[in-house]
């Protein structure tokens, strides 16, 4: 009988504790969040104000009503982030925002609403506005990209990856307003690649082969430009003596 009574008392205690904790959490989630309740980790580049300005957050708002997935998408896009995680927290109360920034590997230029915007490009071909880049990551950047558009991301990424793998050194990448791709390599000079992004990996292989062959013969100094718009029929134009 005593054991049964102890078990009942213990069960009652746990039930009360559970109900109290549940009620406490419910009350906390209904509490309103303000800007001071935001905590940012992973980067010192962004402030609480940056989070608010680049999202649809309106303060004060109840913690439970904040759509974290939607907020993550907003911040990732508007701040050009590699990744962002937003979580509602009870202890300590507020929003935890974990940020992972992108690392620039090229200078970038894009046109938006007829206005030239300067920034940077990362390995994935993503454009990063100047204010969203940590200056300590700007060392040793030598590539320049002109005419960036979102549809060129994949092509740019493939060029950057190829440069890590091959021997050539791209200095400039230019997309004309109609999408014609031209690159400038340190020794091979101007290389016309054209309108077909599905050929880019094949074209990059040819650039690498040409670079290796022409260096052997010390011929690269005579090159004016190379036309690889049809990679099966490369055309090399040389300076006339």
């Amino acid at each position: 009988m005593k054991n049964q009574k102890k078990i009942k008392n213990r069960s009652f205690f746990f039930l009360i504790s559970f109900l109290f904790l549940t009620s406490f959490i419910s009350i906390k989630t209904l509490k309103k969040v303000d800007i001071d309740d935001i905590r940012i980790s992973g980067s010192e580049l962004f402030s609480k104000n940056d989070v608010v300005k680049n999202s649809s957050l309106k303060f004060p708002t109840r913690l439970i009503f904040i759509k974290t997935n939607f907020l993550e998408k907003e911040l990732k896009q508007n701040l050009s982030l590699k990744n962002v995680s937003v979580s509602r927290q009870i202890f300590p109360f507020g929003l935890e925002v974990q940020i992972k920034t992108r690392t620039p590997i090229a200078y970038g230029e894009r046109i938006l609403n007829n206005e030239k915007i300067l920034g940077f490009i990362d390995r994935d071909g993503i454009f990063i506005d100047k204010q969203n880049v940590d200056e300590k990551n700007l060392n040793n950047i030598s590539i320049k990209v002109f005419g960036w558009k979102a549809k060129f991301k994949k092509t740019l990424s493939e060029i950057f990856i190829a440069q890590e793998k091959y021997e050539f050194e791209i200095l400039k990448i230019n997309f004309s307003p109609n999408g014609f791709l031209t690159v400038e390599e340190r020794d091979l000079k101007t290389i016309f690649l054209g309108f077909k992004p599905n050929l880019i990996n094949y074209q990059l292989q040819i650039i690498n082969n040409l670079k290796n062959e022409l260096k052997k013969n010390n011929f690269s100094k005579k090159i004016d430009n190379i036309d690889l718009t049809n990679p099966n029929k490369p055309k090399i134009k040389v300076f006339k003596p």
Side-chain angles (χ1 to χ4, degrees):
M1 292 292 290
K2 289 183 178 180
N3 288 337
Q4 290 181 349
K5 188 174 182 181
K6 286 182 180 180
I7 291 172
K8 287 182 179 179
N9 289 339
R10 190 178 300 167
S11 300
F12 179 74
F13 172 78
F14 283 128
L15 177 60
I16 295 298
S17 298
F18 176 76
L19 292 173
F20 174 78
L21 182 60
T22 302
S23 300
F24 178 76
I25 292 174
S26 298
I27 292 171
K28 275 285 190 178
T29 56
L30 289 173
K31 184 180 175 182
K32 290 184 178 181
V33 180
D34 211 330
I35 189 170
D36 292 332
D37 297 312
I38 297 175
R39 293 178 298 279
I40 301 173
S41 61
S43 174
E44 298 179 356
L45 184 63
F46 300 103
S47 67
K48 298 177 182 181
N49 285 325
D50 291 323
V51 170
V52 175
K53 288 179 183 177
N54 290 277
S55 71
S56 55
L57 279 174
K58 302 295 181 184
F59 291 118
T61 187
R62 300 193 188 281
L63 182 65
I64 197 172
F65 293 148
I66 294 177
K67 299 176 181 178
T68 55
N69 289 338
F70 182 69
L71 181 56
E72 288 170 353
K73 291 178 182 178
E74 285 184 314
L75 294 175
K76 186 174 182 180
Q77 179 177 342
N78 295 338
L79 296 176
S80 305
L81 299 174
K82 183 77 173 178
N83 196 25
V84 58
S85 173
V86 179
S87 57
R88 297 185 293 259
Q89 292 194 337
I90 304 299
F91 308 107
F93 177 79
L95 279 180
E96 179 73 24
V97 182
Q98 295 180 331
I99 287 174
K100 184 176 181 181
T101 58
R102 294 185 179 276
T103 302
I105 63 172
Y107 294 101
E109 179 183 296
R110 65 185 295 198
I111 303 297
L112 183 63
N113 298 325
N114 295 319
E115 181 183 354
K116 183 187 295 185
I117 298 176
L118 303 179
F120 300 89
I121 314 291
D122 81 335
R123 191 175 185 268
D124 296 325
I126 302 295
F127 189 91
I128 316 167
D129 289 338
K130 287 194 302 183
Q131 66 270 22
N132 297 333
V133 170
D134 193 334
E135 292 186 0
K136 66 182 181 183
N137 292 325
L138 301 183
N139 297 326
N140 304 319
I141 294 180
S142 59
I143 307 174
K144 296 179 181 179
V145 178
F146 299 94
W148 182 94
K149 290 181 181 178
K151 63 181 180 180
F152 301 141
K153 291 185 295 185
K154 188 173 185 295
T155 298
L156 282 168
S157 182
E158 288 171 338
I159 293 174
F160 295 145
I161 292 171
Q163 179 159 266
E164 295 172 1
K165 181 171 60 173
Y166 295 138
E167 296 296 325
F168 56 73
E169 185 178 353
I170 300 296
L171 301 177
K172 187 185 298 184
I173 302 170
N174 184 73
F175 294 94
S176 69
N178 63 356
F180 188 94
L181 173 59
T182 305
V183 302
E184 182 180 317
E185 201 275 336
R186 181 173 295 279
D187 296 315
L188 301 181
K189 311 299 189 298
T190 301
I191 306 172
F192 303 113
L193 298 178
F195 295 105
K196 299 178 179 178
N198 59 305
L199 296 177
I200 188 64
N201 284 315
Y202 183 33
Q203 291 169 319
L204 291 168
Q205 290 176 20
I206 294 174
I207 291 173
N208 185 61
N209 294 337
L210 285 172
K211 176 76 179 261
N212 290 333
E213 289 300 319
L214 296 178
K215 281 181 69 175
K216 289 178 184 177
N217 301 297
N218 199 29
F219 188 67
S220 60
K221 294 181 180 179
K222 302 176 183 179
I223 294 176
D224 181 26
N225 62 67
I226 299 174
D227 188 342
L228 291 180
T229 51
N230 181 353
N232 292 317
K233 295 180 179 179
K235 298 176 182 178
I236 301 177
K237 183 179 179 181
V238 298
F239 289 109
K240 294 182 180 179

